[in-house]
Amino acid sequence: MSKRTDTIKSLFTAPQSSALSADNMPAALPRVSSGSVRSLKDSFSEVEKENEELRERIASGAVILEIDPSLVDPSPLADRFRDQDDSSFEALKQSIAQRGQEVPILVREHPEAKGRYQSAYGHRRVRATRELGISVKAILRSLTDEALVVAQGLENAPREDLSFIERASFAMHIEDAGHSRSVVQDALSVDRAEASKLLAVARSVPAEVIQAIGKAPKVGRGRWLSFAELIKDSAALKRVRAAIAESKFAERETDARFLAAFSAATRPSRGQPRKEPDERPVFSVSGDKIAHVRQAERELKLTIDKKVSTTFAAYLVDQLPALFDAFSKTSSGQESTET
């Protein structure tokens, strides 16, 4: 047999390539472990979950944007005082500079200025980012005036650094803007009785007196109620205004300014002896009447309310030395010693 014949024969007798199976089907793919399939499925589920959350945020207007802080105007209703000693703001500014803005602010499109925004809360974050020269992270939502006020109040309600008088002033601003008492209650998370006390103080103490005293974070509802009651007397209010006008008044820290104003309200002016004894109630921090004070020219009489436990009087006597020592260390106490 010739070489050519052998070659032709081999073409027909050689075994078929392994690429074809007996039924002319491609070879099976390598087997994939069930763990890999599950991991891939979980990844797709997570992506779908994130997409769904994004769709919901877009639908509700809760998308986080980065905005030029110079385009953000504050809420028309102020909820806090800007104190001279603003160390907490400097701490916030430093935190944002080091770690970035962790909590976004809430804004709406400005109702009167196209291309600008109005913040419901986060005013200090806006100020900090503006001073740092960076964008401010913000959630943009469509808010009515009422919704803006409620959102602003609810965000501030849990904050411990918002003092009683700041909350009282905010309540008055809300009502003066034309909102109902129920909006005041919703914004500050208080009942009707508490809202009434806040408004009573804010409307009894003149705005210039409140601004001169400042936030007074250590002064609670009880002392503000007493102070508001005192200055209903025109002579007492005149003495308070005179004290505020003194050059040393503004140099004190805010709690000391309240004590100075309160002291001025309780004592007669020099050269003007009191004709009638000064009588006033004393309230607890929660607003309950606990005592009555009667102050004559050379005598002060404190009467404990009959509803108060009799052991309180004994406790008060025991605490008087420590209270007097604490008072002596304040600026008011030092001035009393000098005079």
Side-chain angles (χ1 to χ4, degrees), residues 45-314:
S45 298
E46 188 66 27
V47 170
E48 180 58 31
K49 181 180 178 182
E50 291 178 0
N51 288 340
E52 181 61 28
E53 290 178 354
L54 181 59
R55 284 193 291 269
E56 290 177 358
R57 287 165 60 188
I58 292 173
S60 64
V63 181
I64 298 179
L65 308 174
E66 291 199 359
I67 300 174
D68 181 347
S70 65
L71 298 176
V72 181
D73 296 322
S75 165
L77 305 180
D79 60 359
R80 66 158 59 236
F81 301 159
R82 185 169 177 176
D83 201 82
Q84 294 176 347
D85 180 18
D86 206 354
S87 57
S88 62
F89 168 74
E90 290 302 324
L92 172 65
K93 181 179 173 181
Q94 184 178 1
S95 173
I96 292 176
Q98 292 177 348
R99 298 191 296 271
Q101 181 191 342
E102 297 177 345
V103 181
I105 67 171
L106 177 63
V107 299
R108 68 174 180 177
E109 292 183 350
H110 200 293
E112 299 174 357
K114 187 176 181 180
R116 298 190 65 81
Y117 303 91
Q118 202 171 60
S119 60
Y121 55 74
H123 313 319
R124 297 199 307 161
R125 277 164 275 174
V126 173
R127 178 184 163 198
T129 52
R130 185 185 296 124
E131 293 184 7
L132 290 170
I134 61 176
S135 298
V136 61
K137 295 177 182 177
I139 296 174
L140 175 63
R141 284 184 181 157
S142 177
L143 299 171
T144 63
D145 290 345
E146 182 175 313
L148 179 80
V149 170
V150 172
Q152 182 177 353
L154 291 178
E155 195 271 345
N156 289 327
R159 289 196 344 228
E160 297 179 359
D161 64 334
L162 203 63
S163 68
F164 174 84
I165 195 61
E166 285 180 305
R167 297 172 72 241
S169 297
F170 183 40
M172 184 176 67
H173 293 329
I174 294 173
E175 197 169 69
D176 288 348
H179 298 291
S180 66
R181 183 66 60 88
S182 62
V183 174
V184 174
Q185 294 173 226
D186 291 341
L188 292 168
S189 298
V190 296
D191 58 23
R192 191 171 186 83
E194 179 66 13
S196 296
K197 290 174 183 177
L198 289 166
L199 289 164
V201 170
R203 297 200 183 283
S204 298
V205 183
E208 72 272 15
V209 174
I210 292 176
Q211 291 299 324
I213 292 173
K215 64 189 299 182
K218 296 179 181 178
V219 181
R221 177 175 59 182
R223 283 192 287 177
W224 274 109
L225 282 169
S226 298
F227 183 65
E229 189 70 25
L230 281 170
I231 61 175
K232 287 181 179 179
D233 176 49
S234 58
L237 179 58
K238 184 177 180 180
R239 293 194 298 271
V240 169
R241 285 183 166 137
I244 289 172
E246 293 177 1
S247 58
K248 290 184 178 180
F249 186 85
E251 297 174 1
R252 299 182 174 98
E253 54 89 23
T254 177
D255 288 307
R257 292 198 294 267
F258 175 86
L259 291 176
F262 192 92
S263 178
T266 56
R267 68 170 180 262
S269 304
R270 292 179 181 179
Q272 297 180 358
R274 189 183 300 277
K275 296 180 180 179
E276 297 292 336
D278 178 30
E279 299 190 28
R280 60 185 176 86
V282 179
F283 298 91
S284 67
V285 174
S286 61
D288 299 321
K289 183 182 176 182
I290 57 174
H292 185 85
V293 172
R294 184 178 187 275
Q295 184 174 7
E297 186 173 351
R298 294 180 179 276
E299 179 186 48
L300 185 145
K301 183 178 180 180
L302 176 67
T303 304
I304 305 298
D305 194 272
K306 61 182 180 180
K307 295 180 181 179
V308 178
S309 172
T310 55
T311 58
F312 173 70

